[in-house]
Coordinates of all heavy atoms in Angstrom, one line a residue:
S1 N 0.8 -1.2 0.0 CA 0.0 0.0 0.0 C 0.9 1.3 0.0 O 2.0 1.2 0.4 CB -0.9 0.0 1.2 OG -0.1 0.1 2.4
N2 N 0.3 2.4 -0.4 CA 1.0 3.6 -0.4 C 1.5 4.0 1.0 O 2.6 4.5 1.1 CB 0.2 4.7 -1.1 CG 0.3 4.7 -2.6 OD1 1.2 4.3 -3.2 ND2 -0.7 5.3 -3.2
K3 N 0.6 3.8 1.9 CA 1.0 4.2 3.3 C 2.2 3.4 3.8 O 3.1 3.9 4.4 CB -0.2 4.0 4.2 CG -1.3 5.0 4.0 CD -2.5 4.8 5.1 CE -3.6 5.8 4.9 NZ -4.7 5.6 5.9
A4 N 2.2 2.1 3.5 CA 3.3 1.2 4.0 C 4.6 1.6 3.2 O 5.7 1.6 3.8 CB 2.9 -0.2 3.7
A5 N 4.4 2.0 1.9 CA 5.6 2.4 1.2 C 6.2 3.7 1.7 O 7.4 3.9 1.7 CB 5.2 2.5 -0.3
Q6 N 5.3 4.6 2.1 CA 5.8 5.9 2.6 C 6.6 5.7 3.9 O 7.6 6.3 4.1 CB 4.6 6.9 2.8 CG 4.0 7.4 1.5 CD 2.7 8.1 1.7 OE1 2.1 8.0 2.8 NE2 2.2 8.8 0.7
K7 N 6.1 4.8 4.7 CA 6.8 4.5 6.0 C 8.1 3.8 5.7 O 9.1 4.2 6.3 CB 5.9 3.7 6.9 CG 4.7 4.4 7.5 CD 3.9 3.5 8.4 CE 2.7 4.2 8.9 NZ 1.9 3.3 9.8
L8 N 8.1 2.9 4.8 CA 9.3 2.1 4.5 C 10.4 3.0 3.9 O 11.6 2.9 4.2 CB 9.0 1.0 3.5 CG 10.2 0.1 3.1 CD1 10.8 -0.7 4.3 CD2 9.8 -0.8 2.0
L9 N 10.0 3.9 3.0 CA 10.9 4.8 2.3 C 11.3 6.1 3.1 O 12.1 6.9 2.7 CB 10.4 5.1 1.0 CG 10.2 3.9 0.0 CD1 9.5 4.4 -1.3 CD2 11.5 3.2 -0.3
G10 N 10.6 6.3 4.2 CA 10.9 7.4 5.1 C 10.4 8.7 4.6 O 11.0 9.8 4.9
F11 N 9.2 8.7 3.9 CA 8.6 9.9 3.5 C 8.1 10.7 4.7 O 7.3 10.1 5.5 CB 7.5 9.7 2.5 CG 8.0 9.3 1.1 CD1 7.1 9.0 0.1 CD2 9.4 9.1 0.9 CE1 7.5 8.6 -1.2 CE2 9.8 8.8 -0.4 CZ 8.9 8.5 -1.4
K12 N 8.4 11.9 4.9 CA 7.9 12.7 6.0 C 6.5 13.2 5.8 O 5.8 13.5 6.8 CB 8.9 13.9 6.2 CG 10.3 13.5 6.5 CD 10.5 12.6 7.8 CE 11.9 12.3 8.0 NZ 12.1 11.4 9.2
R13 N 6.1 13.4 4.6 CA 4.8 13.9 4.3 C 4.1 12.9 3.3 O 4.6 11.9 2.9 CB 4.8 15.3 3.7 CG 5.4 16.3 4.7 CD 5.8 17.6 3.9 NE 4.6 18.1 3.2 CZ 4.7 19.1 2.3 NH1 5.9 19.7 2.1 NH2 3.7 19.6 1.7
D14 N 2.9 13.3 2.9 CA 2.1 12.5 2.0 C 2.6 12.6 0.6 O 1.9 13.3 -0.3 CB 0.6 12.8 2.1 CG -0.3 11.9 1.4 OD1 0.2 10.8 1.0 OD2 -1.5 12.2 1.2
F15 N 3.7 12.1 0.3 CA 4.3 12.2 -1.0 C 4.0 10.9 -1.8 O 3.9 9.8 -1.2 CB 5.8 12.4 -1.0 CG 6.2 13.8 -0.5 CD1 7.4 14.0 0.2 CD2 5.5 14.9 -0.9 CE1 7.8 15.2 0.7 CE2 5.9 16.2 -0.5 CZ 7.0 16.3 0.3
V16 N 4.0 11.0 -3.1 CA 4.0 9.8 -4.0 C 5.0 10.0 -5.1 O 5.4 11.1 -5.3 CB 2.6 9.5 -4.5 CG1 1.6 9.2 -3.4 CG2 2.1 10.7 -5.4
S17 N 5.3 9.0 -5.8 CA 6.2 9.1 -7.0 C 5.5 9.7 -8.2 O 6.2 10.3 -9.0 CB 6.8 7.7 -7.3 OG 7.5 7.1 -6.2
G18 N 4.2 9.5 -8.3 CA 3.5 10.0 -9.5 C 2.1 9.6 -9.5 O 1.6 8.9 -8.6
L19 N 1.4 9.9 -10.7 CA 0.1 9.5 -10.9 C 0.0 8.6 -12.2 O 0.7 8.9 -13.2 CB -0.8 10.7 -11.1 CG -1.0 11.7 -9.9 CD1 -1.7 12.9 -10.4 CD2 -1.7 11.0 -8.8
E20 N -0.8 7.6 -12.1 CA -1.0 6.7 -13.2 C -2.4 7.0 -13.8 O -3.4 7.0 -13.0 CB -0.9 5.2 -12.9 CG 0.5 4.8 -12.5 CD 0.7 3.4 -12.2 OE1 0.0 2.9 -11.3 OE2 1.5 2.7 -12.9
I21 N -2.5 7.2 -15.1 CA -3.8 7.6 -15.7 C -4.2 6.5 -16.7 O -3.3 6.1 -17.5 CB -3.7 9.0 -16.3 CG1 -3.4 10.0 -15.3 CG2 -5.0 9.3 -17.1 CD1 -2.0 10.4 -15.1
R22 N -5.5 6.2 -16.7 CA -6.0 5.3 -17.8 C -6.9 6.0 -18.7 O -7.7 6.9 -18.2 CB -6.7 4.1 -17.1 CG -7.0 3.0 -18.1 CD -7.6 1.8 -17.4 NE -7.8 0.6 -18.3 CZ -6.8 -0.2 -18.6 NH1 -5.6 -0.1 -18.1 NH2 -7.0 -1.2 -19.4
V23 N -6.9 5.8 -20.0 CA -7.7 6.5 -20.9 C -8.6 5.5 -21.7 O -8.3 4.3 -21.6 CB -6.9 7.3 -21.9 CG1 -6.1 8.4 -21.2 CG2 -6.0 6.4 -22.7
D24 N -9.6 6.0 -22.3 CA -10.5 5.1 -23.0 C -10.0 4.6 -24.4 O -10.4 3.6 -24.9 CB -11.9 5.7 -23.2 CG -11.8 7.1 -23.9 OD1 -10.7 7.5 -24.3 OD2 -12.9 7.8 -24.0
D25 N -9.1 5.4 -25.0 CA -8.5 5.0 -26.2 C -6.9 5.0 -26.1 O -6.4 6.1 -25.9 CB -8.9 6.0 -27.3 CG -8.4 5.6 -28.7 OD1 -7.7 4.5 -28.8 OD2 -8.6 6.3 -29.7
V26 N -6.3 3.9 -26.1 CA -4.9 3.8 -25.9 C -4.1 4.5 -27.0 O -2.9 4.8 -26.8 CB -4.4 2.3 -25.7 CG1 -5.0 1.7 -24.5 CG2 -4.7 1.5 -27.0
Y27 N -4.7 4.7 -28.1 CA -3.9 5.3 -29.2 C -4.2 6.8 -29.3 O -3.7 7.5 -30.2 CB -4.3 4.7 -30.6 CG -3.9 3.3 -30.7 CD1 -4.9 2.2 -30.6 CD2 -2.6 2.9 -30.8 CE1 -4.5 0.9 -30.6 CE2 -2.2 1.6 -30.9 CZ -3.2 0.6 -30.8 OH -2.8 -0.7 -30.9
A28 N -4.9 7.4 -28.3 CA -5.2 8.8 -28.2 C -4.4 9.4 -27.1 O -4.7 10.5 -26.6 CB -6.7 9.1 -28.0
V29 N -3.3 8.8 -26.6 CA -2.6 9.3 -25.5 C -1.8 10.6 -25.8 O -1.6 11.4 -24.9 CB -1.6 8.2 -24.9 CG1 -2.3 7.1 -24.2 CG2 -0.7 7.7 -26.1
E30 N -1.4 10.8 -27.0 CA -0.7 12.0 -27.4 C -1.7 13.2 -27.2 O -1.3 14.2 -26.6 CB -0.2 11.9 -28.8 CG 0.9 11.0 -29.0 CD 2.2 11.6 -28.5 OE1 2.3 12.8 -28.2 OE2 3.2 10.8 -28.3
E31 N -2.9 13.1 -27.7 CA -3.8 14.2 -27.6 C -4.2 14.5 -26.1 O -4.3 15.6 -25.7 CB -5.1 13.9 -28.4 CG -4.9 13.9 -29.9 CD -4.2 12.7 -30.4 OE1 -4.1 11.7 -29.6 OE2 -3.7 12.7 -31.6
I32 N -4.5 13.4 -25.4 CA -4.9 13.6 -24.0 C -3.7 14.1 -23.2 O -3.9 14.9 -22.3 CB -5.4 12.2 -23.4 CG1 -6.6 11.8 -24.2 CG2 -5.6 12.3 -21.9 CD1 -7.1 10.4 -23.8
G33 N -2.5 13.7 -23.6 CA -1.3 14.2 -22.9 C -1.1 15.7 -23.0 O -0.7 16.4 -22.1
K34 N -1.5 16.3 -24.2 CA -1.5 17.7 -24.4 C -2.5 18.4 -23.6 O -2.2 19.5 -23.0 CB -1.7 18.0 -25.9 CG -0.6 17.5 -26.8 CD -1.0 17.8 -28.3 CE 0.1 17.3 -29.2 NZ -0.2 17.4 -30.7
L35 N -3.6 17.8 -23.4 CA -4.6 18.4 -22.5 C -4.1 18.4 -21.0 O -4.4 19.4 -20.3 CB -6.0 17.6 -22.6 CG -6.7 17.6 -23.9 CD1 -7.9 16.8 -23.9 CD2 -7.1 19.1 -24.3
M36 N -3.4 17.4 -20.7 CA -2.9 17.3 -19.3 C -1.8 18.4 -19.1 O -1.7 18.9 -18.0 CB -2.3 15.9 -19.0 CG -3.3 14.8 -18.9 SD -2.6 13.3 -18.4 CE -4.0 12.2 -18.5

């Protein structure tokens, strides 16, 4: 879990490495990436 990982890695605050995003069309990631 994220909480267990934060404790194991010594994160002092509610940090994460990043966000994972799923889209409805895997071949439209370029266009959606521009919106992001």
Side-chain angles (χ1 to χ4, degrees):
S1 67
N2 274 338
K3 290 183 179 180
Q6 288 169 348
K7 290 181 180 179
L8 178 67
L9 299 175
F11 288 179
K12 301 299 182 183
R13 295 166 55 190
D14 188 13
F15 288 145
V16 295
S17 299
L19 297 173
E20 292 184 301
I21 298 97
R22 192 172 187 85
V23 300
D24 54 5
D25 183 3
V26 294
Y27 296 106
V29 288
E30 287 287 346
E31 293 75 15
I32 297 174
K34 292 176 182 178
L35 296 176
M36 287 184 187

